[in-house]
């Protein structure tokens, strides 16, 4: 079960060099797997491949033992893996109110977006319902990231790919978002691929850590074998 990246190599169009070279990683159910690496090592590329947003040049992505990349985008399973980005604004249309954006996602997921649902969602993710009337640029980074998490959870995914979810936030918002993510992971038994360059944070939250250097996995450290 879970997600298996199997011998994946990737190079971008019109580029000579491979940015991922024969990478294999596994994400078991309800596990937090850290992906550590310096800037340019290939973390985001691997995250996008894991989320099904990018198709690798070589190798396979298996979701619950089935080839994930072969599924059409609208396929339900695709929504079982969601991605949270470093810049939360990319998750929302900048020109429409957050209320409108959220309403669209609720509808897509076949859920009613009424006053009650709005109030409950806002409360759970630490937003005032009135703030939803604003466009994304009118919220703080932390508020917007919490809403991006709310949005990503609507299709009820099993896996979240977290690409440096707190690195653009101030220290207080970082702690709030991290606390929220850890509580949600426990409550909903989610699996996280936690992409970061923060070694201390990665060690603190992860059950297992992969380190990537220049597109190659160089270390695979099991921190908490009891969880697996
Ligand atoms: N769309 C693209 N086209 C061409 N090259 C790209 C593209 N996106 C990333 N790259 C290159 O691929 C390599 C890996 O980039 P990637 O963003 O995956 O690294 P990263 O570890 O996430 O870096 P950072 O921590 O700075 O976000 C880099 O050399 C980058 O310049």
């Amino acid at each position: 079960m879970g997600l298996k990246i199997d011998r994946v190599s990737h190079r971008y169009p019109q580029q000579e060099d491979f940015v991922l070279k024969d990478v294999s990683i596994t994400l078991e159910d309800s596990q937090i797997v850290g992906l550590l690496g310096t800037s340019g090592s290939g973390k985001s590329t691997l995250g996008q491949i894991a989320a099904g947003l990018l198709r690798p040049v070589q190798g396979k992505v298996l979701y619950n033992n089935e080839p994930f990349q072969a599924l059409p985008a609208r396929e339900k399973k695709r929504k079982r893996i969601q991605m949270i980005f470093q810049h939360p604004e990319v998750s929302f249309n900048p020109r429409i109110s957050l209320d409108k954006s959220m309403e669209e996602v609720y509808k897509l997921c076949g859920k009613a977006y009424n006053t009650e649902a709005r109030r409950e969602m806002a409360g759970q993710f630490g937003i005032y319902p009135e703030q939803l009337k604003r466009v994304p640029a009118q919220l703080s980074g932390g508020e917007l990231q919490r809403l991006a998490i709310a949005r990503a959870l609507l299709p009820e995914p099993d896996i979240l790919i977290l690409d440096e979810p707190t690195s653009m936030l101030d220290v207080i918002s970082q702690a709030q978002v991290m606390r929220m993510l850890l509580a949600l992971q426990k409550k909903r038994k989610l699996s996280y691929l936690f992409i970061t360059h923060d070694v201390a944070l990665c060690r603190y939250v992860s059950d297992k850590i992969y380190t990537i250097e220049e597109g190659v996995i160089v270390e695979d450290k099991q921190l908490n074998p009891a969880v697996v």
Side-chain angles (χ1 to χ4, degrees), residues 12 15 19 37-46 86 164 197:
Y12 285 98
Q15 305 285 314
V19 297
T38 52
S39 182
S41 55
K43 303 182 298 299
S44 293
T45 305
L46 185 56
Q86 186 174 17
E164 309 243 20
H197 56 260

Side-chain angles (χ1 to χ4, degrees), residues 135-158:
V135 294
Q138 293 170 325
L139 254 66
S140 75
E143 289 162 347
L144 206 55
Q145 193 60 296
R146 294 201 297 275
L147 261 190
I149 295 167
R151 183 190 195 285
L153 291 175
L154 278 173
E156 294 168 24
D158 326 296

Side-chain angles (χ1 to χ4, degrees), residues 25-50:
I25 67 170
T26 335
L27 190 58
E28 306 284 348
D29 289 342
S30 312
Q31 199 181 39
I32 303 183
V33 172
L35 179 63
L36 269 176
T38 52
S39 182
S41 55
K43 303 182 298 299
S44 293
T45 305
L46 185 56
Q48 287 176 56
I49 287 171

Side-chain angles (χ1 to χ4, degrees), residues 88-174:
E89 56 276 17
V90 303
S91 299
F92 298 98
N93 181 334
R95 286 178 296 275
I96 62 173
S97 72
L98 291 155
D99 221 9
K100 242 327 355 64
S101 281
M102 292 307 277
E103 186 178 13
E104 281 174 9
V105 187
Y106 268 75
K107 266 194 196 147
L108 276 174
C109 297
K111 297 181 180 184
Y113 191 61
N114 49 29
T115 313
E116 186 54 35
R118 183 185 287 111
R119 197 177 320 136
E120 198 188 311
M121 182 269 294
Q124 195 188 346
F125 292 91
I127 304 291
Y128 295 107
E130 307 80 64
Q131 289 178 303
L132 295 168
K133 292 181 189 144
R134 305 181 193 163
V135 294
Q138 293 170 325
L139 254 66
S140 75
E143 289 162 347
L144 206 55
Q145 193 60 296
R146 294 201 297 275
L147 261 190
I149 295 167
R151 183 190 195 285
L153 291 175
L154 278 173
E156 294 168 24
D158 326 296
I159 299 172
L160 287 189
I161 311 296
L162 305 168
D163 191 358
E164 309 243 20
T166 61
S167 62
M168 299 307 288
L169 309 179
D170 63 77
V171 178
I172 292 173
S173 303
Q174 275 182 5

